[in-house]
């Protein structure tokens, strides 16, 4: 397998374990997997902020992924899965340990069998939605505007326009922290609004979605309508989508608007003028800028309205 840069030695026992893991992976994994050392997470997240991950593995096969998980575990190196980074805010100190991604061709495949779409967890939701449209399968149009992967969407039970991923999922394939692979009908997997806890400690590998027979032109018309509505209400600049969960009293975007915080800037991070629940990176923002803006909004919401805002975006790293 390939390593992208020369590995520079770090200090400390975790760093030595990471060092050892990198060398072991470089020797044992197949050529379809790629190891990146000190990978800036700003390149891997839609908000475009975040420090370096010690090690990032673009796994090419399930066997390589299982080897990597076991090798990390035996060395006490923490690992996490990264999808398209569209719901993540990575702190400026980066991520210690191993980051696994499934963006290689094996995990990005989408195959259509009748009304079923079988896809790898690394496939983009946009591509899944487009493939369903091409085949005249309805019901997956809502996924087209969500900039994540199938795996990230399973973890988040992502959704829009009153539809969510688990409404359309039929079967899941996933890997445990011990590298064991299992399949289950989606009906046996608990999920709730914007979460599926199975994937807190399991890696989504693949999924079968079910579409509804329709025609390409009908599906196309519905997709175009949803897309137009989305782009009227959402900023185009880099972001991580909605920053806060909606509190019971009112949508978070409206609350931010009522607090008069739209357009507020800290460094390169700005509360969007288009949608108050989006923080955009107008260029050169750091994670610290975004975190400071989040704190400012939370403080104002607490002081002025007595509302405790919770983040929807996942904040990780050092
Ligand atoms: C402009 C914009 C618009 C958005 N609109 C919506 C929307 O309408 N609806 C909505 O629900 N969300 C929306 N989002 C948020 C985001 O796109 C979704 O949450 C998406 O599902 C995240 O997928 P991802 O692949 O980017 O995951 P990431 O952000 O990379 O990761 C999110 C979580 O999933 C985990 N994960 C990723 N892949 C796997 C895997 N294979 N196995 C197990 N765990 C995994 C990660 O560890 C992490 O915990 C939007 C984001 C942006 C930037």
């Amino acid at each position: 397998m390939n390593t992208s840069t020369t590995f520079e030695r770090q200090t400390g026992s975790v760093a030595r374990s990471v060092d050892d893991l990198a060398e072991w992976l470089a020797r044992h994994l197949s050529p379809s997997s790629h190891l990146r050392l000190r990978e800036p997470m700003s390149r891997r997240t839609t908000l475009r902020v975040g420090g370096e991950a010690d090690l990032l593995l673009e796994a090419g096969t399930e066997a390589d992924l299982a080897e990597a998980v076991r090798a990390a575990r035996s060395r006490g190196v923490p690992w996490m899965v990264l999808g398209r980074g569209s719901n993540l805010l990575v702190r400026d100190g980066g991520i210690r340990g191993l980051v696994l991604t499934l963006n290689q061709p094996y995990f990005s495949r989408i195959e259509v069998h009748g009304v079923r779409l079988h896809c790898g967890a690394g496939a983009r939701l946009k591509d899944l939605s487009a493939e369903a449209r091409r085949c005249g399968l309805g019901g997956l149009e809502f996924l087209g505007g969500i900039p994540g992967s199938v795996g990230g969407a399973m973890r988040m039970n992502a959704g829009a326009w009153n539809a969510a991923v688990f409404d359309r999922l039929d079967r899941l394939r996933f890997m445990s922290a011990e590298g064991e692979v299992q399949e289950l009908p989606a009906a046996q997997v608990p999920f709730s609004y914007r979460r599926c806890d199975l994937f807190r400690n399991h890696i989504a590998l693949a999924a079968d979605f079910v579409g509804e027979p329709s025609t390409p032109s009908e599906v196309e018309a519905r997709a175009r309508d949803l897309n137009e509505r989305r782009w009227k209400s959402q900023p185009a600049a880099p972001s991580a989508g909605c920053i806060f969960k909606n509190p019971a009293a009112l949508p978070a975007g409206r609350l931010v608007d009522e607090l008069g915080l739209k357009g507020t800037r800290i460094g390169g991070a700005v509360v969007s003028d288009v949608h108050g629940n989006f923080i955009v990176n107008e260029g050169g923002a750091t994670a610290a800028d975004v975190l400071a803006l989040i704190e400012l909004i939370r403080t104002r919401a607490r002081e002025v309205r007595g509302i405790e805002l919770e983040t929807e975006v996942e904040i990780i790293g050092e």
Side-chain angles (χ1 to χ4, degrees):
M1 71 166 292
N2 305 317
T3 50
S4 61
T5 59
T6 309
F7 192 67
E8 291 167 37
R9 271 199 123 60
Q10 303 172 65
T11 53
S13 66
V14 174
R16 272 196 299 282
S17 303
V18 170
D19 192 347
D20 177 50
L21 176 65
E23 285 170 12
W24 190 91
L25 293 174
R27 276 187 283 114
H28 287 86
L29 299 191
S30 74
S32 60
S33 291
H34 304 278
L35 190 62
R36 317 259 170 214
L37 307 165
R38 305 197 167 189
E39 178 72 2
M41 295 300 287
S42 53
R43 279 193 205 147
R44 303 265 176 177
T45 55
T46 55
L47 190 53
R48 304 261 173 266
V49 302
E52 294 173 344
D54 290 339
L55 274 180
L56 183 141
L57 177 68
E58 299 181 304
T61 64
E62 284 185 8
D64 280 357
L65 189 63
E67 289 287 6
V69 166
R70 290 191 196 112
R73 191 181 169 85
S74 69
R75 287 163 180 78
V77 174
W79 57 266
M80 65 157 284
V81 197
L82 170 72
R84 294 279 163 184
S86 62
N87 199 52
L88 294 178
L89 167 50
V90 182
R91 293 188 184 91
D92 296 316
I95 300 175
R96 303 289 70 81
L98 174 65
V99 173
L100 300 162
T101 76
L102 308 183
N103 58 3
Q104 294 300 293
Y106 171 76
F107 288 109
S108 303
R109 71 202 183 282
I110 301 171
E111 296 156 8
V112 182
H113 306 283
V115 294
R116 301 169 78 81
L117 295 111
H118 176 75
C119 48
R124 286 171 187 266
L125 297 172
K126 190 176 75 166
D127 294 341
L128 171 59
S129 180
E131 190 59 12
R133 194 161 68 230
R134 197 182 62 78
C135 299
L137 292 173
L140 295 159
E141 299 89 339
F142 73 97
L143 292 175
I146 306 177
S149 65
V150 164
M154 286 155 76
R155 166 74 180 100
M156 301 304 302
N157 189 21
W161 315 114
N162 296 320
V165 158
F166 269 81
D167 301 341
R168 288 281 154 201
L169 266 181
D170 184 53
R171 209 170 166 78
L172 322 179
R173 183 176 171 86
F174 52 92
M175 185 180 284
S176 70
E178 291 77 36
E180 304 298 332
V181 174
Q182 201 186 333
E183 289 196 13
L184 275 181
Q188 289 181 21
V189 177
F191 63 87
S192 57
Y193 182 77
R194 297 292 175 268
R195 62 193 280 180
C196 172
D197 286 342
L198 174 71
F199 299 115
R200 283 167 68 102
N201 51 9
H202 290 79
I203 305 172
L205 299 173
D208 283 355
F209 287 84
V210 178
E212 279 167 15
S214 185
T215 64
S217 59
E218 278 172 3
V219 183
E220 170 72 37
R222 276 196 296 272
R224 200 176 324 113
D225 174 47
L226 295 186
N227 221 18
E228 280 168 12
R229 281 156 65 185
R230 180 178 282 271
W231 288 113
K232 271 185 203 149
S233 60
Q234 185 179 289
S239 76
C242 288
I243 290 286
F244 299 107
K245 293 180 182 159
N246 287 326
L250 76 176
R254 180 137 35 98
L255 173 62
V256 173
D257 197 2
E258 284 179 16
L259 292 170
L261 293 174
K262 274 183 165 180
T264 307
R265 168 187 290 273
I266 296 183
V270 181
V271 179
S272 168
D273 277 328
V274 184
H275 192 312
N277 201 10
F278 278 61
I279 291 179
V280 295
N281 180 352
E282 288 206 337
T286 61
D289 295 339
V290 181
L291 287 164
L293 211 40
I294 288 175
E295 223 22 69
L296 186 151
I297 296 169
R298 294 187 74 217
T299 305
R300 288 288 291 278
R302 193 182 303 121
E303 286 173 359
V304 178
R305 293 289 305 267
I307 294 176
E308 203 54 56
L309 283 172
E310 258 184 83
T311 50
E312 177 160 314
V313 67
E314 204 177 318
I315 302 169
I316 58 170
E318 290 190 341

